[in-house]
Amino acid sequence: MSRIAYVNGRYVPHTDASVHVEDRGYQFADGVYEVCEIRDGRIVDERRHLDRLDRSLSELSIRTPFSRRSAGMILREVIRRNRVRSGLVYLQVTRGVARRDHAFPGPEVPPSVVVTAKSVPVERGDHAASAGVKVITLPDNRWDRVDIKSVSLLPNVLAKQKAHEAGAKEAWFVDDAGLVTEGSSTNAWIVTKDGRIVTRPADHGILRGITRTVVVEAIEGEGLTLEERPFSVAEALEAKEAFITAASTIVMPVVAIDDRPIGNGHPGTIASNLRAKFHTYAEQSELVAN
Ligand code: PDD
């Protein structure tokens, strides 16, 4: 079955899906995006993802190009046409196509909208989670508005590549004070020896992950203790457990940081339980017909 993408009002074969060379996303990374998990044919936390998209657009003064209803319809149609039951749907909005000039184009230029979807077997994540993943640490060299989910991801791309070259799944960014901010595409967590779950407050230093928000609710719901505060690499190395969260990984146990084992070097019970419970706390959309 051939893949289909949505590009500016049209559903087109994935192989032909393209935007103009003067799209500002292409030339200036002048755009924002969202990634939602699709599980059992339903979009996970659609409302929260579209709320965050609105916020990102508004922070960058990009006009919201669709109503909430039509955004949902486009997501669903792309998922349906690609027959995705488990996987990811990607939504990107840029400031549109205009003759190259750093300053914003006029209001007559409509934003560009692209949606793609891909199948990812549930077993792939579960398999990774049963082994746990390794992370490396790197200096955080990003701008100070990483709370905006912008497509300007070059430091993240370079960090992820370094992680892969080191045989790790993720890179944790570390600020000038030696405190972990977040991963290149995930939020970062540890569990202290006495069972307190620690993650950095969602200020301007990190992206407020939707998975993070749901995990905060799950921690409360499960009667666990949350501490929203920064933690250092040294503290993480002494932790009982560590894990990462994102729509693409859900809760993924971390078993080594910079090649040093965390806890007993195996996925922790708190992280594994939060992974198992995650979807009972997340919002599920209605079933996408396919
Ligand atoms: N990344 N931090 C960063 C820098 C991210 O890029 C992401 C998500 C997260 C977690 O956010 P959420 O829980 O809403 O997925 C945190 C997506 C999945 C990506 O870029 O593919």
Side-chain angles (χ1 to χ4, degrees):
M1 190 204 67
S2 59
R3 289 179 70 198
I4 301 290
Y6 173 91
V7 184
N8 292 326
R10 295 171 55 224
Y11 296 91
V12 292
H14 195 267
T15 44
D16 303 335
S18 54
V19 293
H20 193 271
V21 289
E22 286 196 310
D23 190 280
R24 292 180 62 93
Y26 182 60
Q27 291 194 325
F28 295 116
D30 188 1
V32 301
Y33 75 107
E34 283 296 329
V35 177
C36 306
E37 187 198 8
I38 305 154
R39 185 144 179 131
D40 298 328
R42 298 170 196 274
I43 304 172
V44 178
D45 286 313
E46 175 184 352
R47 177 186 63 85
R48 288 184 171 111
H49 281 282
L50 292 178
D51 283 349
R52 186 173 64 185
L53 183 78
D54 279 347
R55 176 182 183 276
S56 297
L57 288 167
S58 133
E59 290 294 318
L60 298 182
S61 305
I62 299 175
R63 173 157 42 97
T64 302
F66 35 47
S67 66
R68 185 58 68 97
R69 200 174 122 75
S70 39
M73 279 168 55
I74 297 165
L75 292 176
R76 256 166 271 284
E77 188 59 12
V78 172
I79 294 167
R80 193 187 68 75
R81 289 192 187 221
N82 289 282
R83 305 218 178 110
V84 178
R85 287 201 54 84
S86 97
L88 298 169
V89 61
Y90 176 85
L91 165 61
Q92 175 176 310
V93 181
T94 73
R95 206 181 302 276
V97 177
R99 191 173 147 143
R100 188 174 183 279
D101 179 356
H102 287 64
F104 296 176
E108 71 286 358
V109 173
S112 299
V113 181
V114 167
V115 179
T116 58
K118 66 175 176 188
S119 293
V120 184
V122 176
E123 303 78 51
R124 192 179 297 174
D126 288 347
H127 182 71
S130 65
V133 298
K134 296 179 177 182
V135 304
I136 60 166
T137 59
L138 290 173
D140 198 337
N141 56 358
R142 300 173 299 161
W143 74 326
D144 64 1
R145 289 309 310 277
V146 296
D147 58 302
I148 301 170
K149 199 162 173 60
S150 115
V151 295
S152 175
L153 289 171
L154 198 46
N156 310 58
V157 166
L158 297 177
K160 186 76 90 184
Q161 180 61 22
K162 274 207 168 142
H164 286 186
E165 286 169 8
K169 164 88 177 166
E170 179 60 302
W172 278 4
F173 288 121
V174 180
D175 69 14
D176 290 344
L179 301 167
V180 173
T181 53
E182 63 180 333
S184 69
S185 64
T186 58
N187 289 122
W189 308 68
I190 56 168
V191 183
T192 62
K193 291 224 162 65
D194 56 358
R196 284 170 292 124
I197 304 170
V198 185
T199 198
R200 192 179 177 108
D203 51 24
H204 282 195
I206 66 166
L207 180 76
R208 184 186 289 274
I210 303 304
T211 320
R212 178 190 181 283
T213 300
V214 175
V215 168
V216 166
E217 288 181 7
I219 289 168
E220 282 162 16
E222 297 299 307
L224 300 167
T225 308
L226 173 72
E227 266 180 26
E228 278 190 274
R229 61 166 175 83
F231 60 85
S232 66
V233 177
E235 187 181 6
L237 289 170
E238 292 302 313
K240 187 162 77 172
E241 297 184 25
F243 60 94
I244 53 177
T245 57
S248 50
T249 58
I250 309 306
V251 178
M252 183 61 67
V254 169
V255 292
I257 300 173
D258 291 334
D259 272 331
R260 292 166 63 181
I262 301 306
N264 62 9
H266 294 287
T269 48
I270 290 183
S272 301
N273 284 338
L274 286 171
R275 179 180 181 85
K277 294 273 168 62
F278 179 82
H279 292 96
T280 61
Y281 288 93
E283 289 175 7
Q284 324 280 339
S285 75
E286 78 278 17
L287 199 62
V288 178
N290 60 25

